[in-house]
Each structure stands twice: as C-alpha cells, then as structure tokens.
Amino acid sequence: MAKRRKVLVLHGPNLNLLGTRQPEIYGRLTLEQINRKIRSLAKELGVEVEIRQSNSEGELVSWIQAAPKQFGALVINAAAYTHSSVALRDALTAVGLPAVEVHISNIHKREEFRKRSLIAEAVVGQIAGFGANSYLLGLRAAVEYL
Ligand code: DQA
C-alpha cells in the first residue's frame, strides 16, 4: 500500500496499563482491545495502520522523525508528555506530517496542568474526552489528510 494510505498511531507513557489504570478516568478496555478497534476501523476505511506504544520520550521522538518515510498521517496520544515535552512538539513541527492529538479523558476538565498541551500547536487538531472512541474519531480525522 502506498505511504499516503498509511497512518501511524502512537501511544505514549503508561497507556500500556490501560484496563487497570484509573478505570474511572480511562475506562476498562486494555490497550490491545483499543488497538483491535483501531485496526478494525482502519480496515473499514480502507487504510493501513501501524500502532506503537512507548514509555520513552526519545523513542517517540525517533518514531515521529522517521514517520514521513512510511506514513501519510499520524494519530498521537502523547499521554503525560503532552504537558511536558518540548521535544515531541519540536519533532511534530519539524516533520510537518498531518497529526491528530487524541486523549481518552477530557484534559480540559481535569487538573490545571493537564489543560495545557505543548503539542497542540504542532498538530492539525485535538480530540479529547470520548474514551477509547477518541482514537477512532482521531483516525477518521487523520484519514481526511491522506
Ligand atoms: C491522557 C491524558 C493525560 O493527561 C495523561 O497523562 C495520560 C492520558 C488521556 O488519554 O486522557 O496519560 O493523554
């Protein structure tokens, strides 16, 4: 499949713990269950997806840097790095790949420090607060940019 029909989905730190991590905020689906939903929607939309998770900021930066060679768009839940990482913001800005920022919870309804996203200005737009469905809405949005 041509690179322009391929979307990279990145999950940031602690998202590997989904299912048991604060289910009242993040729900009870595991990361693998969410990934299955993403893959099934991708199939329905006729696009290819690759899904990766990392707890390491540097690894996420490297994946973003390399993404344009293989992918036409990006969906990213940078998790806690959303609020702290100038490096992720700079990487997203540098590659200029259309990216959609997603969050399971509504970060604007939580602690003050979560309301600020350092990556928001480096992405096309943000989807937050729809639970696991945020990823599916994010994928639909990203596909529009392929
Ligand atoms: C999150 C929100 C972040 O504030 C938090 O650090 C996460 C997950 C979300 O998906 O709601 O780990 O990105």
Side-chain angles (χ1 to χ4, degrees), residues 11 14 17 21 23 26 31 34 42 48-49 58 60 65 79 114 125 128 134 136-137 141 143 145-146:
H11 301 286
N14 300 307
L17 302 178
R21 174 192 180 201
Y26 299 115
L31 188 62
I34 293 175
E48 214 174 283
V49 273
L60 291 163
Q65 285 183 8
R114 292 190 205 273
S134 290
L136 306 181
L137 296 167
V143 164
Y145 290 85
L146 291 178

Side-chain angles (χ1 to χ4, degrees), residues 68-90:
K69 278 189 223 105
Q70 256 188 290
F71 303 96
L74 179 68
V75 174
I76 180 166
N77 184 349
Y81 291 140
T82 305
H83 318 295
S84 67
S85 179
V86 176
L88 282 184
R89 176 201 177 104
D90 285 353

Side-chain angles (χ1 to χ4, degrees), residues 95-110:
V95 300
L97 196 65
V100 180
E101 173 183 355
V102 303
H103 300 284
I104 295 167
S105 64
N106 184 347
I107 56 172
H108 303 286
K109 261 195 348 201
R110 299 183 60 192

Side-chain angles (χ1 to χ4, degrees), residues 3 8 10 19 30 56 67 127-128 136:
K3 127 184 160 172
L8 177 62
L10 294 182
T30 64
S56 147
I127 295 167
L136 306 181

Side-chain angles (χ1 to χ4, degrees), residues 15-54:
L15 295 172
N16 54 311
L17 302 178
L18 287 175
T20 55
R21 174 192 180 201
Q22 296 180 281
E24 67 288 358
I25 295 176
Y26 299 115
R28 295 201 176 274
L29 293 184
T30 64
L31 188 62
E32 195 37 54
Q33 287 170 324
I34 293 175
N35 288 347
R36 255 182 255 139
K37 284 175 180 282
I38 295 170
R39 287 193 202 101
S40 132
L41 177 63
K43 206 168 176 187
E44 191 184 312
L45 298 175
V47 296
E48 214 174 283
V49 273
E50 186 161 321
I51 307 173
R52 302 178 194 160
Q53 188 274 330
S54 181

